[in-house]
Structures are given as C-alpha cells and as structure tokens.
Amino acid sequence: MASVTSLTASVHQHLANALSATLPEAAAADPLLRRSDRADFQANGILALAKKAKANPRELATQVVSHVVTGDVIKDVEVSGPGFLNITVTDKAITENLAARAADPEGRLGVPYAENPGTTVIDYAQPNVAKEMHVGHLRSAVIGDSVVKLLEFTGEKVIRRHHIGDWGTQFGMLIQYLDEHPHELDHKAAEVTGEEAMSNLDRLYKAARKLFDSDEEFKTRARRRVVDLQAGDPHTLGIWQKFVDESKIYFFSVFEKLDMEIRDPDIVGESGYNDMLQETCRLLEESGVAVRSEGALCVFFDDVKGPDGNPVPLIVQKSDGGFGYAATDLSAIRDRVFNLKANSIIYVVDARQSLHFKMVFETARRAGWLNDDVTAYQLAFGTVLGKDGKPFKTREGETVRLVDLLDEAIDRASAVVREKAQDLSEEEIAERGAQVGVGAVKYADLSTSANRDYKFDLDQMVSLNGDTSVYLQYAYARIQSILRKAGEVRPAAHPELELTDAERALGLHADQFAETVAEAAAEYAPHKLAAYLYQLASLYTSFYDKCPVLKAETPEQVENRLFLCDVTARTLHEGMALLGIRTPERL
C-alpha cells in the first residue's frame, strides 16, 4: 500500500508549484506552511522570498495567488497582512483523504514507512539485581517502550537492551552469605510470585548487610569472594546466577503489571561485557585515547573540570586493576556497533548521568567507534516529583516501590471505572481498572517532555477531565458505543457532502496523524504524539457536542459522521498503542 499524501503535503506542493511559476529561481523555496486558526493553513514563506528578490511582499503574494491551482484540493487563497497567504482546502479533499487512510489494507491509516530505515539499539528499563524497582525505574521503562514502538512502526530495525545491574563488589557480600546459608532462596511452592521472589532477596540482603557491618571475618571473606567472582570461579558464578534468576522472576512480574513486554534474550547486564573489558582498555591505551595517571587508565577532556579547576577524567580502569562503569559502557558500545551493526544507539537514562555519558560518547568517538554514520544519544529524563514538588518519597522518606505505586493507581482507576460502569461485571471492572490505572501512569509520564521533571499526582492522573489517558480512553469507548448503536448502518465516506466547522477541524487534525508519528519517532519524542492525541480527543468531544451522529439530517450524513467517528477511533487506538496504552472497547 502506498502511503497517503497528507493534505499538508498536497497544499505544500500546490504552493511550491505556484512559487516556481512566479519566480523560477524560487523552485526550492519553502512556503513555510502551518495550520492556522484564521484559515485551514497559513504560508509565511513569501516574506523571506520578497526580501531576497527585493520585491514588495504583498505584490509578490498576489502574483503567487494567481498561479495557485484551485479546485480539487485548494478551495481558496487570500493574501493577508504584509504578505501571508491564508489557504482553505475543500471539504471534498478532507473526506477523500480520510477515506484513503481508512482504506489502508495494512491498517496503518496511511502512515508511511521511513525512507531509509536503519538499526537502532535502545538501552532502557535497567533494574538492579537483588534490589527493588522504585519510581525512578518507571520513566526509563515507559519512555523506552514507547520509543521502541514508534521506531518499529516507522520500519526501523530495533534491538532492545536491558543493561541490568548484575555485577560489582556488592555481590561478594550476597554470594558469601548465600554460600554459608544455602537454603535462603529456596522456594516453598512450585509457582513463585514476583512479590515472594523480592521478599526472599530483600530478607537475604538485609541479613548479609547486618553481618557484613558487624563481623570483620565475614567482611574479609566477602571481599575475597569479589575476586573469585571477577576471576570467573565456577562455584561463585553458580551462586551469583541464583541471584540473577530470582531477580528476573521479580522483574518480569513488575513489567507484566506495567503491561510491557521484556524478553529474556534482550537482558544483557553489565556481566555480559566482562570478556571485553581488558581489550577495551588495551585498544584505548594503544590508540592514545586513554593514558595512565597515578596507576589508573584515564581519558581527559578540556571542558570537564572539578570545583578545584583541575580536569576530571573518565576512569576506565582503577589503579587496583578493577573496572568501573565506563569500561562496561564502552565495551557495550563496541558490541552494539561491531556485532549488532547499530546505526544509532539510544540510552534512556536519568539526566543526572549526563556528564558520564557525554564523556563515554566522546571517548568512543575519539576511538573511532562512533562517527557521523554511527551515533549515540542519551534520551535523558527528569525526576519524578511528589505533589510538593520535591523528589517523590514515602512519608518515612523512603524511595517509593514501583509495585505499590502501580497497585494504588489501579485501585484509584477501578473506583472511577466502577462509578461510571453501567453493564460491566466485577471481572471486567478489574480488567479495565488495570488498563486505565497503568495507562494513567504511563500517559502522565509520556505527555511530559522527557527531560522535564514531572509531578506524580494520582488524583490528577485518573481524572476524567483534562489532559489524561482516561479522557482519551473514554473518548474511544464513547465512539465504540455509537458504532454499536448504529447497528446495520455502516460508516461510509461521502466526499460530496459539505462539512460543518467541527467536522472540518476534526478531519484536518485526523489527517495529521502520519506527520505526527514521523516527527515523534525522528525526535524520540512520545510527548508530541500524546499532545496530538489529546487534541484529537478534544476536537472529537466538540464534534460530538455539535453534530448529531445517528440523528443527522440525511442517511448520507449519518454514514459520513459514523465514518468520521470510526477514523477518529482507529487513530486514537493506534496512537495510544504506540504509547503502550490500552483502549478498552467499553468503559
């Protein structure tokens, strides 16, 4: 299926043709077209052209208008102000374009695939082994999942990587404790819940920590155990693997609650790059990118200095021979570029790690692993704040557990669903409550630009009014209810009909779905898609208030309005799916 040319693109082409007919040297000039509240579109490009051609902008605009072909797409063009063009498109063009989108046999609503798709590795959702997931893990998971969906939808080959924290000195203490108390992670039942796995790990961690802090001999044994782990001692690795496996039971249960697919082969933790660390250091040292300083292998930067004015290096290998995060991250880049053949690598990581990643990327560029054809980008995200505008904590000042937060969102949403539900069973209310609650949490995150902090306010998130996923889900369910009530009457496009203002506004916005998806994918910006969908639901509400659907004046108008409802619902459904949010058929 060829993609559908949007109305914006059609109008753009008509104007470009008129510009080159007026001024042949302006063939490549941009008409600077945008949606407008004065007409359907406004073009501002003539001002710059007139300046270049030393012409009067209003006179030039009038000449251009005389060359614009009107009829099928453009109904009328007028010159306004100093030389802007106000453009109105025909009702027929709006309806025909939407009909072409609705007829897309792939069900993509005419959204094109990217022209030159590549391979993107995206590093997101990185919990730590033997530790609880907290609210900080939420953003990386939710933003990453949506960017994966957006890129895959545009035809990009996406490789997911979950760089879990599964290595390092803290494991010496845990492994030693489990070796001395071998039944601490045994399971009572055949089926283990995520909650049980986490409480096992939590109990063991606390006991090991207590012993480590109070018993010097245990501390010495635990430190020796780190050396065994790093040397690859099979018995030690066997115990370490138990922690990883137990943690995965827990991780998968949380991701399932978040309605996210995390696949085991995509989980490649810090340990996955152990065999590359020595070689990474050798390559950096031999090429002169890294130098020895006080026994440590370091990379220096002109623009990174500490408070004392001295340069702060990236330490790839410590003076005692141990490796830090930098060695692992640089090895991961080598793997992603040379083995996975990535053109782009995206890191969905907290903004507080920006300096680290800036130094890692620059080091990889100096080493020649990254260049103009292979880029790395940190999709940095801000902090989750409480209602008081401070970092989100429990009353006791603890970090908020992710599971508790999701459970509370689901409880609140279920109450909202129960209040509005007319004919839903308890089972359906529970299922919808989960879809609405998790959707609310995801949408609050994705509707904010990733690099900004956002306030976690459950009352606001599950509100039926305002910019929330519940508002969008209700708009979708309302349309499904109308389509069910229509019974035998099928939606059908009638390009011969005149449209009301509310129908035109809805139709023009629905036609911009493809452009919005392309922009959100290219900029790794799910919030642009969220804003588009909220606007779509708002325009639908206004259409619903002003235009009777099933009681419209003629049978053709009933069919055409049902058609507008159907295209809107399909756009909402597809758009929400790209954000990782469900759209229940009934609410």
Side-chain angles (χ1 to χ4, degrees):
M1 158 84 190
S3 59
V4 178
T5 304
S6 70
L7 288 169
T8 312
S10 296
V11 172
H12 191 282
Q13 192 53 56
H14 277 73
L15 286 180
N17 295 345
L19 279 173
S20 55
T22 312
L23 278 177
E25 67 272 21
D30 186 349
L32 294 179
L33 193 66
R34 59 181 185 82
R35 288 294 312 279
S36 162
D37 44 12
R38 300 234 167 88
D40 295 335
F41 295 96
Q42 188 175 65
N44 304 340
I46 290 176
L47 299 180
L49 267 180
K51 201 170 176 184
K52 218 167 156 185
K54 303 203 169 24
N56 173 320
R58 250 192 102 88
E59 283 169 21
L60 181 61
T62 310
Q63 281 177 291
V64 172
V65 170
S66 69
H67 285 106
V68 172
V69 178
T70 56
D72 280 352
V73 176
I74 294 181
K75 182 177 173 187
D76 142 65
V77 189
E78 58 175 41
V79 179
S80 87
F84 300 133
L85 299 184
N86 283 344
I87 300 130
T88 307
V89 295
T90 63
D91 290 356
K92 178 169 167 270
I94 295 175
T95 307
E96 281 179 346
N97 247 39
L98 292 180
R101 292 193 181 287
D104 179 350
E106 286 186 45
R108 292 172 56 83
L109 296 163
V111 177
Y113 289 100
E115 279 180 20
N116 302 306
T119 298
T120 294
V121 173
I122 175 162
D123 185 328
Y124 69 108
Q126 313 100 341
N128 293 312
V129 165
K131 286 193 180 157
E132 285 234 59
M133 288 175 70
H134 55 76
V135 72
H137 292 119
L138 176 71
R139 297 209 73 184
S140 174
V142 169
I143 295 166
D145 187 49
S146 178
V147 173
V148 167
K149 289 182 161 75
L150 277 164
L151 290 175
E152 285 183 339
F153 191 65
T154 59
E156 183 80 359
K157 179 185 175 190
V158 179
I159 299 171
R160 312 158 186 214
R161 278 294 173 264
H162 308 296
H163 191 87
I164 62 172
D166 65 355
W167 203 249
T169 50
Q170 74 278 20
F171 284 98
M173 171 182 95
L174 297 173
I175 292 167
Q176 189 60 36
Y177 187 85
L178 188 59
D179 201 20
E180 294 174 14
H181 306 80
H183 299 296
E184 284 294 307
L185 289 183
D186 291 357
H187 297 144
K188 294 165 196 65
E191 274 293 302
V192 191
T193 63
E195 197 64 17
E196 189 191 330
M198 192 60 239
S199 73
N200 275 345
L201 289 164
D202 196 43
R203 192 183 62 246
L204 190 147
Y205 187 89
K206 283 178 177 153
R209 182 87 241 178
K210 195 172 168 187
L211 198 58
F212 186 85
D213 290 341
S214 62
D215 181 334
E216 281 302 319
E217 286 175 4
F218 175 75
K219 190 182 271 188
T220 306
R221 293 197 297 279
R223 287 194 171 137
R224 271 208 299 270
R225 189 63 82 158
V226 177
V227 180
D228 296 341
L229 177 66
Q230 287 175 341
D233 166 56
H235 175 66
T236 302
L237 281 175
I239 303 174
W240 166 82
Q241 190 63 50
K242 283 186 176 170
F243 283 101
V244 176
D245 294 342
E246 192 79 4
S247 297
K248 280 185 179 178
I249 296 171
Y250 162 69
F251 295 159
F252 283 122
S253 74
V254 179
F255 288 124
E256 194 176 332
K257 187 166 275 195
L258 259 176
D259 195 13
M260 262 177 66
E261 180 200 35
I262 300 282
R263 303 182 296 228
D264 202 52
D266 300 332
I267 300 178
V268 182
E270 294 164 356
S271 63
Y273 306 99
N274 281 341
D275 299 348
M276 301 174 69
L277 302 178
Q278 289 289 0
E279 194 184 4
T280 296
C281 291
R282 184 178 64 74
L283 291 169
L284 290 172
E285 193 166 10
E286 283 177 4
S287 60
V289 172
V291 293
R292 291 279 163 192
S293 171
E294 296 173 27
L297 187 62
C298 302
V299 183
F300 288 93
F301 306 88
D302 294 339
D303 57 345
V304 184
K305 295 190 167 58
D308 54 5
N310 291 332
V312 176
L314 182 71
I315 299 174
V316 187
Q317 189 177 22
K318 301 173 197 156
S319 53
D320 65 4
F323 300 101
Y325 291 124
T328 308
D329 287 333
L330 287 161
S331 299
I333 288 178
R334 284 177 53 217
D335 177 59
R336 291 162 184 186
V337 173
F338 300 109
N339 296 338
L340 302 178
K341 307 284 186 251
N343 310 105
S344 327
I345 314 174
I346 306 171
Y347 291 78
V348 189
V349 184
D350 192 315
R352 287 171 291 198
Q353 295 187 41
S354 294
L355 179 61
H356 169 76
F357 279 102
K358 181 183 157 188
M359 291 159 82
V360 166
F361 297 163
E362 176 57 29
T363 300
R365 266 193 291 275
R366 290 181 190 176
W369 306 332
L370 296 175
N371 51 41
D372 292 345
D373 301 322
V374 186
T375 55
Y377 174 74
Q378 184 193 356
L379 208 181
F381 55 83
T383 309
V384 181
L385 307 173
K387 284 187 191 177
D388 56 3
K390 297 189 178 122
F392 199 40
K393 295 268 196 282
T394 64
R395 289 210 180 93
E396 296 73 43
E398 299 283 316
T399 318
V400 179
R401 295 170 64 212
L402 189 46
V403 180
D404 294 344
L405 194 117
L406 294 174
D407 285 342
E408 192 180 342
I410 291 168
D411 287 349
R412 296 279 189 92
S414 301
V416 172
V417 173
R418 177 173 281 110
E419 200 176 302
K420 296 281 280 193
Q422 272 119 25
D423 51 356
L424 296 180
S425 68
E426 274 304 309
E427 197 180 327
E428 287 172 320
I429 288 174
E431 183 205 3
R432 306 289 196 284
Q435 293 180 349
V436 172
V438 171
V441 171
K442 287 184 177 181
Y443 186 84
D445 193 320
L446 294 171
S447 56
T448 311
S449 165
N451 55 15
R452 288 180 39 204
D453 299 342
Y454 84 98
K455 276 190 188 166
F456 197 93
D457 178 350
L458 274 177
D459 295 326
Q460 172 53 39
M461 286 179 194
V462 298
S463 159
L464 294 170
N465 305 316
D467 188 1
T468 65
S469 67
V470 193
Y471 177 71
L472 302 182
Q473 286 167 322
Y474 266 103
Y476 177 80
R478 175 187 272 174
I479 299 174
Q480 294 310 319
S481 161
I482 293 172
L483 294 172
R484 284 193 297 273
K485 279 184 194 148
E488 297 297 301
V489 186
R490 310 303 319 142
H494 287 278
E496 74 282 1
L497 292 181
E498 276 189 25
L499 300 176
T500 65
D501 287 349
E503 289 172 308
R504 290 177 58 87
L506 180 61
L508 280 164
H509 191 70
D511 187 61
Q512 290 190 292
F513 180 59
E515 290 157 18
T516 308
V517 167
E519 187 183 347
E523 296 176 20
Y524 314 137
H527 71 278
K528 294 200 165 176
L529 177 59
Y532 167 87
L533 294 170
Y534 173 59
Q535 180 74 20
L536 183 67
S538 306
L539 288 167
Y540 179 76
T541 304
S542 144
F543 157 81
Y544 178 82
D545 291 343
K546 294 174 182 157
C547 305
V549 177
L550 300 175
K551 294 188 174 156
E553 288 164 24
T554 64
E556 291 79 15
Q557 199 175 36
V558 172
E559 289 178 349
N560 199 56
R561 284 183 177 170
L562 279 171
F563 163 73
L564 271 175
C565 288
D566 187 44
V567 170
T568 302
R570 285 166 60 184
T571 307
L572 278 171
H573 174 77
E574 191 56 68
M576 293 288 267
L578 292 173
L579 297 178
I581 299 173
R582 304 262 173 196
T583 38
E585 300 290 308
R586 293 170 192 262
L587 271 176

